Amino acid sequence: MTFMKPRLHKLGLVAVAAAIGAAALGAVNVEPALASSCTLGIGPKTPEGNYEVGVNCGTNITITGFSLYGSDPAFDDYRGTWTGAGATVSRAVLNEDDSWLDDTDEIYARVSGRDQFGNSFSGTTQIITRKF
């Protein structure tokens, strides 16, 4: 028979309780309620020199539109607005920092949409940092 040290036994019980709690939460289909839980995706450059851009907020959210911004210390650069959840954009839209001092671009989206009950929401996605 193997005995666990009391501290390890308590940690084991905490891990089991956390797993049960996570399983219980996983059994409920919870979708993001706010656009702040949305994600921005930017695909690789196409042969035509454009990029596929899209936002996703889960299966129970309908995206009505999004605007792209370049994050900068003083003020954020507005890059354009599109309806729906995706668009094809030129490099010029994403290339918001092109000086020799700073040529790394920081792009995020402000998203608007409706949840499954018709409630509206808006918020921002994460920032994607790349050189476009």
Side-chain angles (χ1 to χ4, degrees), residues 1-10:
M1 178 182 266
T2 305
F3 293 97
M4 296 178 73
K5 292 182 179 178
R7 180 180 165 99
L8 292 177
H9 180 68
K10 285 180 185 176

Side-chain angles (χ1 to χ4, degrees), residues 95 97-106 130-132:
N95 185 23
D97 284 326
D98 58 1
S99 76
W100 62 274
L101 293 172
D102 179 12
D103 66 348
T104 301
D105 307 300
E106 304 87 10
R130 274 172 50 189
K131 292 184 179 182
F132 294 102

